[in-house]
Amino acid sequence: MDLHALAKDIRTWALDLGFDEIGITDVDLSASSREYRQWLCQRFHGEMHYMERNVEKRLAPAELVPGTVRIISARMNYAPPSPPHNLQEPALAYISRYATGRDYHKVLRRKLAKIAMKMSDAAGGSHRAFVDSAPVLEKPIAEKAGLGWIGKHTLAMHPEVGSYFFLGEIFTDLPLPTTDRKIEPQCGSCKACINVCPTNAIVGPGKLDARKCISYLTIELKGSIPEDLRPHIGNRVFGCDDCQLICPWNRFAPATREKDFAVRHDLDRKPIAELLEWSEEQFLENTRGMALRRINYSQWTRNLSVAAGNAPTDEALEQALVRKRKEMVNRSDAMCVEHIDWAIRRLNGNLAQQTCSDTASTQQSTP
């Protein structure tokens, strides 16, 4: 078998299936070992306990899938055609750009499985596809495979497409030729992502304290969001894109070619009050097949309540919170009730401040 020809075929198959680039690397991830172990020792992973399990397999791909000698790393862009505007409209809910369409795990895994089948047909061997479904260090793998570098915000970057892309991998026992290109880090002295982070979660270049990250707080965290961090979350109800939105490299991000990533249910422009009216049945129906299913209905309500507490005072919003509170009391969901009460106090406080301000203004204008 001509493995160089096969590598070219794999790239052709990937591009035909909608991937934007692939790279091939060996399985030596020893260069990432010290940094990853230190991150765990600092407890920056918070309650993501899966990050501390199977560490040896994560750092040694051949331990995860015996016989693996090469890893194919595939990149697929997901940037929507136009930038989001609802971050500047606090009455609207903001959902991270990657999560408003079909779940990328499903999209990429299906396509990678097709490539793996074509590889088996062409050359035999054993091939296994992953998309966030196992202990895989996808970003260091992508960096070694020549798909970019890891930026100061810890996301994979590419000079032509920025950071709006998903990654998937195929572990194979075929000794394919590795990609000879390497993209050196090009962040330079820029610290825009560090400075813009609403919760100061990027504690240094390439160092993320996930316990403060809004993506962690709104997705990975199952319990109560620390009260001191809630005001900084703003209207973000699932994830956060601030470090990407500010990045100069993302000015060049091309729009995705994948139709499955198109926004569903107008979730890039929904008012917080409207989403609070969703029942659990509506939540499950409207998020079917989406990455939003990474959180449950209780977390969804918790996140919306925080966003509501950070929104401008509005009677309709407060009434939606009151109705949702009754529902959560009936469900014995103490966490959600506490977050709703916090939001109502915030809205009432804003109203009281506005009333005092209006009164003072009237008194000053009276002769």
Side-chain angles (χ1 to χ4, degrees):
M1 179 66 196
D2 185 342
L3 293 175
H4 283 84
L6 178 60
K8 291 181 180 179
D9 287 342
I10 291 170
R11 183 174 186 274
T12 298
W13 298 334
L15 295 178
D16 288 345
L17 285 168
F19 287 99
D20 293 283
E21 188 55 274
I22 69 157
I24 302 172
T25 182
D26 58 37
V27 296
D28 181 11
L29 298 179
S30 57
S32 302
S33 177
R34 180 180 178 182
E35 184 178 358
Y36 184 73
R37 294 180 190 275
Q38 184 179 35
W39 184 74
L40 291 175
C41 287
Q42 292 174 301
R43 311 306 298 173
F44 282 169
H45 59 301
E47 295 182 9
M48 295 185 290
H49 302 301
Y50 60 88
M51 300 296 292
E52 59 191 69
R53 293 194 294 267
N54 299 309
V55 172
E56 298 307 321
K57 291 183 178 180
R58 196 179 292 271
L59 294 169
E63 294 290 326
L64 177 63
V65 181
T68 299
V69 296
R70 295 288 186 270
I71 302 174
I72 301 166
S73 180
R75 185 191 82 220
M76 183 179 290
N77 303 336
Y78 70 83
S82 58
H85 300 291
N86 45 343
L87 266 180
Q88 287 72 46
E89 299 184 50
L92 302 182
Y94 185 84
I95 294 171
S96 187
R97 301 174 83 178
Y98 80 86
T100 54
R102 181 168 172 77
D103 187 347
Y104 70 92
H105 299 86
K106 301 176 184 294
V107 176
L108 270 67
R109 190 181 298 117
R110 184 180 68 249
K111 294 176 183 292
L112 289 172
K114 290 182 179 180
I115 296 173
M117 290 182 62
K118 288 177 176 290
M119 292 172 63
S120 294
D121 292 341
S126 176
H127 325 290
R128 187 172 172 185
F130 296 102
V131 184
D132 288 346
S133 54
V136 176
L137 286 181
E138 61 176 13
K139 289 179 286 187
I141 290 171
E143 188 174 42
K144 281 201 68 177
L147 296 188
W149 76 93
I150 299 176
K152 293 180 180 178
H153 47 21
T154 74
L155 301 174
M157 302 278 298
H158 189 281
E160 296 177 5
V161 299
S163 59
Y164 293 121
F165 55 81
F166 299 124
L167 294 169
E169 300 78 35
I170 297 176
F171 285 33
T172 179
D173 60 358
L174 296 178
L176 297 165
T178 57
T179 304
D180 57 9
R181 66 175 178 270
K182 180 174 176 56
I183 301 177
E184 296 296 331
Q186 298 180 38
C187 293
S189 60
C190 178
K191 294 182 179 180
C193 61
I194 297 176
N195 296 333
V196 79
C197 179
T199 54
N200 297 313
I202 307 174
V203 296
K207 295 181 179 180
L208 178 73
D209 184 348
R211 298 169 298 181
K212 296 181 181 179
C213 178
I214 293 175
S215 288
Y216 169 84
L217 294 170
T218 57
I219 301 173
E220 301 290 348
L221 184 66
K222 306 305 180 186
S224 178
I225 295 175
E227 192 165 333
D228 62 316
L229 293 177
R230 294 178 196 176
H232 303 290
I233 292 177
N235 61 342
R236 302 165 186 84
V237 301
F238 188 95
C240 177
D241 291 324
D242 286 41
C243 61
Q244 299 193 86
L245 291 169
I246 197 69
C247 179
W249 289 108
N250 277 327
R251 291 178 298 186
F252 309 109
T256 183
R257 298 182 292 129
E258 178 54 61
K259 294 180 180 179
D260 268 342
F261 296 153
V263 177
R264 298 183 173 187
H265 307 297
D266 293 325
L267 282 172
D268 58 342
R269 63 192 70 180
K270 285 287 190 185
I272 298 166
E274 183 176 338
L275 295 177
L276 277 168
E277 299 290 356
W278 282 7
S279 65
E280 183 172 19
E281 291 72 19
Q282 287 174 301
F283 168 75
L284 293 175
E285 177 61 30
N286 292 336
T287 60
R288 187 187 303 275
M290 300 178 68
L292 281 167
R293 282 289 190 89
R294 289 180 63 188
I295 61 174
N296 57 37
Y297 182 60
S298 181
Q299 290 172 283
W300 173 250
T301 302
R302 175 199 65 185
N303 297 346
L304 286 170
S305 300
V306 171
N310 294 325
T313 300
D314 179 83
E315 184 177 352
L317 182 57
E318 186 168 356
Q319 289 301 314
L321 284 168
V322 170
R323 287 190 291 272
K324 187 60 67 174
R325 188 183 192 281
K326 292 179 180 178
E327 176 190 342
M328 292 301 150
V329 167
N330 290 334
R331 295 169 64 101
S332 299
D333 192 329
M335 179 188 70
C336 281
V337 171
E338 185 272 317
H339 283 75
I340 292 171
D341 287 345
W342 176 85
I344 292 174
R345 288 197 303 272
R346 291 265 295 183
L347 290 178
N348 288 337
N350 292 341
L351 179 60
Q353 290 179 6
Q354 184 61 47
T355 301
C356 290
S357 176
D358 292 345
T359 301
S361 178
T362 300
Q363 291 174 345
Q364 291 175 4
S365 62
T366 302

